[in-house]
Amino acid sequence: EVERLVVVENHQTTGGLSTSVLEALHSAGIQRPIVKIGIAHRFYECGSQAHMERMYGMDQDRITRAVLDGV
């Protein structure tokens, strides 16, 4: 039992891992808040992994805030 789920994916969240997790939970009758961390469904720039993580909020600080505070 957990209060919330945090799904981090290094690509667009629309139709990605977050969507699959939500569908699986729904099918199992489980309802939990979910925080999706990834790239919003839009055109995005490219760069190094470190750059992308900072640019799109997929860095350690953001993930820690999501786990601890649900933000």
Side-chain angles (χ1 to χ4, degrees):
E1 300 240 352
V2 297
E3 292 180 28
R4 82 182 66 78
L5 297 166
V6 178
V7 178
V8 182
E9 46 193 316
N10 62 351
H11 54 83
Q12 292 186 359
T13 56
T14 303
L17 179 62
S18 300
T19 301
S20 295
V21 169
L22 285 169
E23 288 176 0
L25 291 172
H26 178 76
S27 294
I30 299 171
Q31 294 183 340
R32 295 287 183 278
I34 186 168
V35 178
K36 296 197 271 184
I37 299 176
I39 300 172
H41 186 68
R42 61 184 172 96
F43 289 106
Y44 54 92
E45 66 179 79
C46 297
S48 69
Q49 183 171 346
H51 170 75
M52 297 296 284
E53 288 172 354
R54 281 190 309 275
M55 179 109 184
Y56 296 104
M58 295 181 282
D59 58 358
Q60 181 178 349
D61 291 337
R62 169 71 170 96
I63 294 167
T64 300
R65 281 196 325 272
V67 170
L68 298 177
D69 303 327
V71 180

